[in-house]
Structures are given as C-alpha cells and as structure tokens.
Amino acid sequence: MSPQRQAAWSTRYGFYLVALASAFSLGNLWRFPFIVDANKGASFVLLYIICSLVIGLPLVIAEMILGKAYKQSFIGAMSELGRQSKFAQKTQVWIWIGRIANASSVLLLAYYAVVSGWVLYFLMQYLFGMFRTDFTGNHKIINNLISNGGLQVALTSVHILITGIAVSKRLKVGVEKSLGWLMPLFLGLIVFLVIRSLKLPGAIPAVRFLFYPNFSQIDSGTLTSVIGHVLFTLSIGMGTITAYGSYIREDSNLTAISFRMVILDIMTSLFVGLLIFPVVFTVEKFGDSGPSLMFHALPELFNKLGLSDIVGVAFFLCLYIAALASSIALLEASVSNLVDRHNYTRKKATQVMGLISFVVAILPALSSNMLEDLKIAGNSLLLFFDTLVVNWMLPIVAACISLAVGFAMKEDLKIKLFVDPNQFESKLIFSNWQFLIKWIVPVLIILGVATNIVGFLKRI
Ligand code: PHE
C-alpha cells in the first residue's frame, strides 16, 4: 500500500463509518421516497427488500472481497483479478469495467452534489429561521430554490469545495468523529418523527400504499428501477466498497459487516417511507413532485407537528453530514485511482477530480431552471443523469463484478478470505453466496438491463 493511499482514511474505524453512512444518506432519505412514489408503492417496496437481500448483499460481499484480496482501488483490483485469471489476455476489458465505474462515480457525484446543495440550503434556512418569528418552513422554499439556477450552482460549488477539502485530508478526522455520534442520533430522530408522523390523518392510506402490494402495478420498468435503486443506496458498482474492503482488518468478518449494512439500509428506507408518506397523503398537494418530494414533505411535517426549528436544524445537519460522507466516498473513488495508477499526489488528484465534478454538476444544477426545456428521453437533465448512472452504468458494472468474482477469481483465494474455520456455518454461507453471485445476481441484472433496452427501443 502506498503512503498516499494509507493517508486516505485516518482510521479504519473511520472508513467503516463512512461506508455505513453512504448506505444511510440521500439514497434513503431523498431517492427512496420519490422512486417509491414514481413506482406506485408497495410492490416496489417488497421487491426492493427482496433484491437488497438477493442481489445487494452478495454484491456488497463480492466488492469487499475484491478490496480485501488485492488491496487496491477498484480499477487496480479488477485488472489484478484479470491478470490472475484464465482470461488474462483480455486485460483491457477489466480496465474498461473499472473506467465505467469511475465515470459513474463522477456523474453520480455531479447530481448528488446538487441535491446536497439543496440540503445545505434547507439547513441554513432552519438555522437562520430560528431567529425569525415569522419563519414558516413551507414548500415555497424548495420551489424558490429549484427555480434559481445561480443559487444552485453556488450551493453545488460550496458542497464540492467542502468535499474536496475533506478528501485532501484536512477535514476527514472531523467528519469521521462526527459520524460516530451522528448516526445513532439521526436514526433516533427519524424514529421519533415516524411516531409523530403516524398520527397524521394520512397515516393509514400511507401504510397501505407502502405495504399492501398490488402486483398489477408492476411493469417492465419496475425490475430495472428496483435493481438500480438497490445498487445506488448500497453504493455498489463504483468501487467505493472495494476501497473500504482494501482497508479492512484481516480478521474482520466480511459477511457480518455486509449483512449489518444491508439490514440497516432496508430499515432506514422503511422508516423514511413511514415518515414521508403520511405527510404526502395528508397534504395531497405535492404528490408527483419527483426529486423534490422530500423537500416538500419535511417542512410540511415539521410545521404540522408544531415542532420547533431546532428539529429542522438537527435533521438537515445530520442529513448534510451523511451526504458529505457519501460525497467524500464518491470523490475518493476517482481520486484514489489517479493516485494509485497515475502517480498523482493526493492534492493534485483532488483538485483535478473536484474541478471535473463541478463542471459536470453545472448541468443538473441548471436543469430545473435555465435548462428546463432541455429534456433527454423525456427527463430533465438531473433525472437523465440519475437514470443513466442508476439504470444503466451501475447494473453493467455490478453484473461484471458478480461474473468476475464468481467465475474468474480463484476458488481457494475466495475460501481463504471468506470462510472462517472456527465457524461451522461459514462454509454453508459461502456456498450459498457463491450460488447467488454466480447464477442469480448476473441473471437478474441482465434481465433488468434487457427490459431496459426493450423499453428504450419502444420509446424512440
Ligand atoms: N449509497 C449512497 C446513498 O445512499 C450513495 C453513494 C453511492 C455513495 C456510491 C457513495 C458511493 O446516498
């Protein structure tokens, strides 16, 4: 491990927390509600739970194994795996998979930074609102924000700057330390709000909407959306988990860590559903608001419950730090590639990738205002970026990871990394995981991508 790499995370514990936080942030709070809304509720939720366990969990383990085995960032680990396998002559293919993953992390960071900018803005509103008696956190705030392109570009640039500073090390220890107390606090706050939200008149229809599946609502696009969302929320397919795996302690239990991460992710998403949808069904005027759904619902909830602005500050502060942790992991993925494979210094790599991310982010930042009329396949630019990454790029990389780890990685290496001789059930878990990663995961993902292609061809 080069010294530059070792400096990436100040403690292993810190990286563990960052990995957890990335399974705990905008994917659950921002993306889950509007994607559930777009896919009409319960059948999507049920499929999401199943796919998290059947596709997400085996892939998290596979990415961790990649990192633990080769102790490198994603492209390095993939090409090393290629070199050691019987498909060694095709090294370029392995490197290209890594490049797609890197490109996804840059594109994802671009629109993630825009939404993180929204969170930052709400945090500031609540913070300043505490000193103003006439402050009412209603949905005008989000409407004003998304129609203001300059403000969004400014907020996005502030967010990328903070992320860049953190990645080039100066803030990292602070982010790690704050995550330690923040995540339990955040979960506690969410549970508290769920209890209050369930007392709203819209609670019963909301519970029905979330948990009473109507399978006739499933269409050809549902499987693709579910798989894409699982990959997004568990941070699979961009090499961030591989990076985590490369710092993991030799004796740590991969399956237990991965299992905890997936269960936590499912739990948070369900809580968030129970938090947001009672408000949606009570107020009924901002259904269909797409990516801004959470930003309409939360202020409405805080108002309705008569909660003070302090709750708003606490909530958006927790969410902002979680979004920052994810952004750090995303930027880290491409930065560590430049450091590992192209001999950049950490500082230079951060500057280059930060700048590229910012330039790309200008497009989604302007997508709801100046570039409002620019639609690609019927989507605004922000949603186009999201669809491109989540429904196409991540599934392609994820399918390659499952095939690579499943078929090309040496059996004895996998057993050595996975099976704990002191635990009798470990062998059994291993063989089930092998079966899923070799046969079920790639088949389901390829099916999802195929339905995507058919849907796409029908639309054009
Ligand atoms: N999983 C993160 C979320 O839920 C997003 C993310 C993806 C973060 C990939 C890092 C890497 O918000």
Side-chain angles (χ1 to χ4, degrees):
M1 217 185 276
S2 76
Q4 288 281 5
R5 250 173 84 63
Q6 248 163 358
W9 300 103
S10 53
T11 58
R12 287 207 170 96
Y13 177 62
F15 197 89
Y16 180 42
L17 286 175
V18 171
L20 262 179
S22 87
F24 205 94
S25 68
L26 292 180
N28 310 77
L29 273 297
W30 162 72
R31 200 172 189 282
F32 183 74
F34 89 78
I35 231 60
V36 167
D37 194 37
N39 284 281
K40 303 188 197 71
S43 29
F44 180 92
V45 174
L46 186 66
L47 282 177
Y48 155 74
I49 299 173
I50 296 172
C51 287
S52 294
L53 295 168
V54 174
I55 299 179
L57 180 58
L59 276 169
V60 171
I61 298 176
E63 265 211 41
M64 271 195 206
I65 283 196
L66 260 183
K68 197 175 174 189
Y70 305 111
K71 304 254 177 302
Q72 292 189 44
S73 61
F74 188 64
I75 299 191
M78 279 305 262
S79 54
E80 190 55 40
L81 168 57
R83 242 194 309 278
Q84 292 183 13
S85 74
K86 49 183 181 285
F87 311 105
Q89 60 289 24
K90 302 255 186 293
T91 29
Q92 276 310 313
V93 177
W94 301 92
I95 292 179
W96 270 102
I97 301 168
R99 287 194 181 133
I100 302 177
N102 252 341
S104 328
S105 71
V106 174
L107 287 175
L108 204 153
L109 177 59
Y111 71 90
Y112 207 87
V114 174
V115 181
S116 305
W118 299 354
V119 176
L120 193 59
Y121 184 72
F122 269 64
L123 171 61
M124 286 180 332
Q125 291 293 322
Y126 276 102
L127 208 57
F128 299 137
M130 277 170 70
F131 307 106
R132 260 193 283 141
T133 45
D134 64 342
F135 178 79
T136 47
N138 62 30
H139 50 274
K140 278 196 204 89
I141 304 176
I142 180 71
N143 289 340
N144 292 343
L145 173 62
I146 57 179
S147 58
N148 188 340
L151 181 58
Q152 284 194 69
V153 172
L155 288 163
T156 307
S157 65
V158 170
H159 179 72
I160 293 185
L161 196 69
I162 298 176
T163 309
I165 295 173
V167 168
S168 67
K169 254 180 15 221
R170 272 164 265 167
L171 249 177
K172 207 147 29 216
V173 181
V175 174
E176 285 170 9
K177 286 215 176 104
S178 57
L179 283 170
W181 55 262
L182 181 115
M183 283 196 303
L185 180 83
F186 199 12
L187 196 58
L189 188 57
I190 292 175
V191 172
F192 164 75
L193 290 171
V194 168
I195 296 171
R196 304 287 301 264
S197 183
L198 284 175
K199 294 194 177 131
L200 292 174
I204 293 178
V207 171
R208 177 179 279 270
F209 173 76
L210 285 170
F211 300 113
Y212 188 70
N214 171 358
F215 292 105
S216 65
Q217 284 163 347
I218 295 181
D219 61 28
S220 60
T222 314
L223 183 65
T224 322
S225 307
V226 172
I227 294 177
H229 183 73
V230 166
L231 302 178
F232 179 102
T233 188
L234 291 172
S235 317
I236 298 166
M238 267 160 291
T240 45
I241 302 201
T242 306
Y244 166 48
S246 73
Y247 296 103
I248 210 169
R249 272 210 330 260
E250 280 311 312
D251 58 350
S252 47
N253 187 338
L254 285 181
T255 30
I257 295 174
S258 312
F259 187 68
R260 245 177 277 149
M261 190 166 151
V262 174
I263 294 296
L264 192 65
D265 190 79
I266 297 176
M267 252 174 51
T268 326
S269 295
L270 297 183
F271 279 138
V272 170
L274 289 172
L275 173 70
I276 302 278
F277 284 100
V279 195
V280 174
F281 281 92
T282 305
V283 181
E284 276 187 357
K285 61 180 176 225
F286 51 76
D288 273 350
S289 41
S292 56
L293 181 63
M294 176 196 104
F295 296 90
H296 284 283
L298 283 177
E300 204 67 63
L301 176 71
F302 299 158
N303 274 355
K304 280 229 166 333
L305 300 180
L307 296 170
S308 73
D309 287 351
I310 295 176
V311 176
V313 173
F315 190 94
F316 283 103
L317 181 64
C318 291
L319 183 55
Y320 184 70
I321 297 180
L324 180 61
S326 289
S327 307
I328 294 175
L330 282 166
L331 187 59
E332 180 67 37
S334 51
V335 165
S336 61
N337 174 52
L338 284 187
V339 171
D340 278 3
R341 297 178 47 86
H342 300 280
N343 288 329
Y344 277 59
T345 61
R346 170 155 283 275
K347 195 165 161 208
K348 177 97 185 291
T350 312
Q351 284 167 350
V352 171
M353 292 320 301
L355 191 66
I356 294 178
S357 309
F358 173 65
V359 173
V360 181
I362 294 178
L363 292 173
L366 298 181
S367 74
S368 51
N369 37 75
M370 292 172 203
L371 301 179
E372 197 177 7
D373 296 329
L374 189 62
K375 298 259 191 274
I376 304 181
N379 285 323
S380 70
L381 278 174
L382 192 147
L383 279 181
F384 170 72
F385 272 47
D386 184 65
T387 313
L388 177 67
V389 174
V390 174
N391 291 0
W392 295 92
M393 296 167 83
L394 298 187
I396 290 172
V397 176
C400 294
I401 294 175
S402 66
L403 292 172
V405 175
F407 292 100
M409 196 167 184
K410 292 210 175 73
E411 204 68 12
D412 43 353
L413 179 59
K414 279 185 274 188
I415 294 181
K416 189 174 132 238
L417 293 168
F418 194 120
V419 179
D420 178 352
N422 300 322
Q423 268 185 321
F424 80 99
E425 71 277 16
S426 172
K427 248 203 165 109
L428 187 69
I429 300 176
F430 178 73
S431 54
N432 285 319
W433 169 76
Q434 277 268 80
F435 177 72
L436 287 171
I437 206 77
K438 276 185 170 168
W439 306 109
I440 306 296
V441 174
V443 168
L444 287 177
I445 297 182
I446 290 167
L447 206 68
V449 174
T451 48
N452 220 6
I453 295 174
V454 173
F456 182 73
L457 291 178
K458 270 194 197 148
R459 256 178 283 133
I460 55 172

